[in-house]
Amino acid sequence: MKIVGATKDHWSQVSGQAGQARDWLVFDCPPGAPLPEPQRVALTKEQLPHHFQDTAPHPLHGVEIMIAASAGDGYIRHMEKWGAQVVLTGETAPLIALQKIIAGEALADTRFDLTTTLCKLRDLFSRH
């Protein structure tokens, strides 16, 4: 199972605004195996989901679960088209969020984020 986390601060914290996140930790988790070291993926501006046109392969294609602190409805719909489930959390440590997901534990509730409200407004006019 391929799980990614949107991050900020040099891959150390779960990032809000998943559609604008440049830095992602990619975990390729074989069933029953210990957690592998993550691959660090830095997206270009053109690869950010808010800008990506789906006309070429993308570094996050094939991901099954995406972890972030916030995401708009348009982003969530876009990722569903990619076959990915977006999981939102208030957990700030990417590795802890991943461990909780794999263990089937509840994640911390998301924190209020004004930019998410603005994204929801923007999503009313989104192409996704």
Side-chain angles (χ1 to χ4, degrees):
M1 173 183 299
K2 208 171 194 181
I3 302 173
V4 297
T7 65
K8 62 182 181 178
D9 298 332
H10 305 288
W11 290 280
S12 67
Q13 292 187 8
V14 174
S15 175
Q17 293 300 331
Q20 295 290 345
R22 289 186 183 251
D23 298 329
W24 292 80
L25 291 177
V26 179
F27 295 88
D28 197 354
C29 304
L35 286 178
E37 284 296 314
Q39 174 188 1
R40 293 178 176 191
V41 174
L43 301 178
T44 64
K45 181 179 179 181
E46 295 76 24
Q47 291 173 322
L48 295 177
H50 272 310
H51 303 288
F52 191 68
Q53 298 297 313
D54 289 330
T55 57
H58 190 278
L60 300 180
H61 279 157
V63 166
E64 295 174 58
I65 297 175
M66 303 180 112
I67 304 167
S70 66
D73 294 335
Y75 177 82
I76 292 170
R77 285 191 303 271
H78 190 189
M79 294 305 99
E80 285 174 351
K81 291 177 187 175
W82 286 12
Q85 175 189 3
V86 177
V87 176
L88 302 179
T89 182
E91 180 60 61
T92 58
L95 189 54
I96 291 174
L98 173 69
Q99 290 169 334
K100 286 183 177 183
I101 287 171
I102 290 174
E105 296 176 15
L107 291 167
D109 290 335
T110 57
R111 301 172 300 278
F112 174 75
D113 182 358
L114 178 61
T115 56
T116 299
T117 304
L118 296 173
C119 270
K120 288 184 184 290
L121 179 62
R122 179 182 176 207
D123 287 344
L124 292 173
F125 307 100
S126 172
R127 63 184 162 80
H128 303 294

